[in-house]
Amino acid sequence: MAICKCTGEQVESPQDVQLMELLEHYREYDGALIPVLQGAQDIYGYLPGEVLETISKELKIPFSEVFGVVTFYSQFHLKPRGRNIIRVCLGTACHVRGGSKIFEGLKEILGVDNGGTTEDLRFTLESVACIGACGLAPVIMINDDTHGRLTNDGLDKILEQYE
């Protein structure tokens, strides 16, 4: 629920309407919690606390259980994420070929640490154990795009491609 700045009344946002439709679809299913959480995250981009409370209430599942599932699985996020997710490979091949320097370079350019999101919500930076593109080391993925054989000199140009 959002609060109207004009009247101070609570109003339903389009996202809230979508969430209620999602909950209505899964209300009678056993084991609905994870699909509902995935759907809610698709709707909001992350899982705000009030959304978790609504899911708990509507599915009649204790909030502690909902929160426990969200914090157990790495696919769920409690903070807003960037429009573009940058995954920097720090696996063995990338490590040997300078993956950590690429990671440090991106941290400096973006001004965020591992798992951080830029203030404009343009990028989220994450390190991963292996992307599976060892022949391109050092490698990063931005959303579904793979960029390999990187040097810190080319990072700015790569980032410019993403709004």
Side-chain angles (χ1 to χ4, degrees):
M1 291 274 183
I3 296 180
C4 177
K5 292 181 180 177
C6 306
T7 63
E9 296 177 23
Q10 284 193 339
V11 293
E12 284 191 342
S13 69
Q15 294 169 321
D16 295 336
V17 172
Q18 284 182 283
L19 177 62
M20 294 314 289
E21 291 171 356
L22 177 71
L23 286 163
E24 193 59 42
H25 177 76
Y26 282 103
R27 192 175 307 279
E28 302 302 322
Y29 287 90
D30 288 335
L33 181 55
I34 289 179
V36 167
L37 290 170
Q38 290 168 329
Q41 187 164 273
D42 287 343
I43 293 168
Y44 293 92
Y46 71 108
L47 295 168
E50 56 271 12
V51 169
L52 297 180
E53 290 174 6
T54 300
I55 291 170
S56 169
K57 179 181 163 194
E58 294 293 326
L59 294 182
K60 297 181 175 64
I61 297 173
F63 182 81
S64 60
E65 186 176 333
V66 172
F67 190 77
V69 169
V70 169
T71 55
F72 181 79
Y73 292 105
S74 63
Q75 68 175 302
F76 297 121
H77 305 285
L78 295 169
K79 295 180 180 175
R81 293 171 49 88
R83 295 182 300 279
N84 303 291
I85 309 299
I86 303 172
R87 293 179 178 89
V88 182
C89 183
L90 296 179
T92 303
C94 287
H95 176 74
V96 169
R97 299 184 110 186
S100 60
K101 289 180 183 173
I102 298 296
F103 187 61
E104 292 300 319
L106 286 168
K107 283 173 48 176
E108 186 176 320
I109 291 170
L110 300 172
V112 298
D113 283 322
N114 191 15
T117 300
T118 58
E119 287 185 24
D120 61 1
L121 299 178
R122 187 172 169 202
F123 294 107
T124 294
L125 179 65
E126 298 175 340
S127 65
V128 296
C130 185
I131 288 176
C134 301
L136 298 174
V139 65
I140 65 171
M141 285 188 72
I142 301 179
N143 305 325
D144 293 329
D145 303 330
T146 303
H147 302 273
R149 297 195 174 107
L150 297 173
T151 65
N152 279 356
D153 293 337
L155 295 176
D156 284 332
K157 287 186 179 178
I158 291 171
L159 295 178
E160 288 173 5
Q161 299 173 31
Y162 298 90
E163 273 308 309

